């Protein structure tokens, strides 16, 4: 079956039913939402008048998605700001600004996916976001540990810096560590006092 160039036509009838002329089937708003997620282009036309009503149907899809998922994408503050722009001088600028912002977000999302795929290869498990997120969390934990170790090496109050390598290292926050810190602080205070006098 040859693919038509241009968007698929969806006709909306008076009884509110939607008809996909590309597949010759009736569809629902959920079906249209799936088409959007797949990147399929379509235009919704009023079956009687032929008017393009794509904008209002897409808005209706957003309204339904916001109502049923419980995971809203549009915070109340954003909705209030958006409503305040209607009739404002900035109304003409807002659509292009939002379109540009969403394009930038999509581009960053694609870059992140590409980096995850590159770092994990074409492993089928990589398609499951649970695994990549676990790997990211593990990497963050390892980086944090390395950072903490590096900071201990460069800190003038490094813990467990005994000259005797056979001594067992104590846990940070132990009584010995606190006593060592107190002694180090007293030594520094004595040096400061000797400079002042």
């Amino acid at each position: 079956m040859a693919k038509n160039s241009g968007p698929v036509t969806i006709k909306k009838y008076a009884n509110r039913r939607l008809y996909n002329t590309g597949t010759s089937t009736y569809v629902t708003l959920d079906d249209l939402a799936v088409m959007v997620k797949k990147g399929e282009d379509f235009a919704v036309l009023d079956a009687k008048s032929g008017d393009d009503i794509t904008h209002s149907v897409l808005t209706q899809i957003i309204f339904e998605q916001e109502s049923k998922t419980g995971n809203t994408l549009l915070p109340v503050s954003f909705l209030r700001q958006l409503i305040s722009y209607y009739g404002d001088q900035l109304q003409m600028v807002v659509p292009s600004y939002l379109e540009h912002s969403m394009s930038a977000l999509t581009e960053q999302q694609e870059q992140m996916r590409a980096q995850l795929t590159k770092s994990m290869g074409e492993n089928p498990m990589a398609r499951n976001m649970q695994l990549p997120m676990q790997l990211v969390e593990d990497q963050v934990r390892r980086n944090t540990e390395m950072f903490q170790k590096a900071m201990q090496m460069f800190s003038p109050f490094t813990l467990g810096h005994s000259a005797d390598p056979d001594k067992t290292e104590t846990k940070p926050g132990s009584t010995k560590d606190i006593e060592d810190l107190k002694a180090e602080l007293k030594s520094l205070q004595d040096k400061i006092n000797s400079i002042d006098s």
Side-chain angles (χ1 to χ4, degrees):
M1 183 174 177
K3 212 174 188 185
N4 293 340
S5 60
V8 173
T9 300
I10 309 291
K11 291 185 178 179
K12 185 172 184 181
Y13 291 94
N15 62 4
R16 303 180 78 175
R17 292 192 76 186
L18 299 162
Y19 184 77
N20 184 333
T21 60
T23 59
S24 301
T25 57
Y26 285 99
V27 293
T28 64
L29 290 175
D30 285 338
D31 295 327
L32 295 183
V34 170
M35 289 175 70
V36 169
K37 289 176 184 178
K38 288 181 179 178
E40 297 177 24
D41 194 13
F42 60 84
V44 184
L45 305 178
D46 184 283
K48 186 175 182 181
S49 68
D51 292 340
D52 188 334
I53 55 171
T54 307
H55 186 275
S56 63
V57 170
L58 291 175
T59 305
Q60 189 176 358
I61 291 170
I62 291 170
F63 175 76
E64 287 200 359
Q65 293 292 317
E66 289 279 309
S67 300
K68 72 180 179 184
T69 61
N71 296 324
T72 58
L73 290 178
L74 304 173
V76 172
S77 60
F78 172 80
L79 293 172
R80 288 181 196 277
Q81 288 174 333
L82 198 58
I83 291 168
S84 72
Y85 285 124
Y86 285 100
D88 190 275
Q89 292 174 346
L90 289 176
Q91 181 174 344
M92 301 299 285
V93 178
V94 172
S96 60
Y97 174 77
L98 292 176
E99 192 171 2
H100 177 71
S101 298
M102 289 304 289
S103 295
L105 179 64
T106 302
E107 188 178 316
Q108 289 172 354
Q109 181 184 24
E110 291 302 320
Q111 288 174 355
M112 188 169 126
R113 284 182 179 156
Q115 287 175 345
L116 284 172
T117 302
K118 183 180 175 184
S119 65
M120 291 179 290
E122 291 300 322
N123 183 348
M125 292 292 287
R127 298 188 200 291
N128 179 357
M129 283 308 287
Q130 199 82 15
L131 178 62
M133 291 313 293
Q134 182 62 46
L135 291 173
V136 169
E137 288 173 7
D138 290 347
Q139 187 62 45
V140 168
R141 183 181 41 75
R142 284 193 297 271
N143 289 348
T144 304
E145 288 172 1
M146 285 173 36
F147 177 74
Q148 288 171 342
K149 286 178 184 174
M151 290 307 293
Q152 284 178 350
M153 285 178 12
F154 293 109
S155 171
F157 304 109
T158 303
L159 303 177
H161 60 287
S162 171
D164 186 357
D166 295 334
K167 279 192 177 177
T168 58
E169 211 171 275
T170 58
K171 291 183 181 177
S174 68
T175 307
K176 182 181 180 329
D177 288 337
I178 293 171
E179 292 303 320
D180 288 346
L181 282 174
K182 284 181 181 177
E184 188 78 31
L185 284 172
K186 183 170 182 344
S187 170
L188 286 171
Q189 186 63 47
D190 290 343
K191 288 179 185 176
I192 291 170
N193 290 341
S194 67
I195 292 170
D196 288 342
S197 53

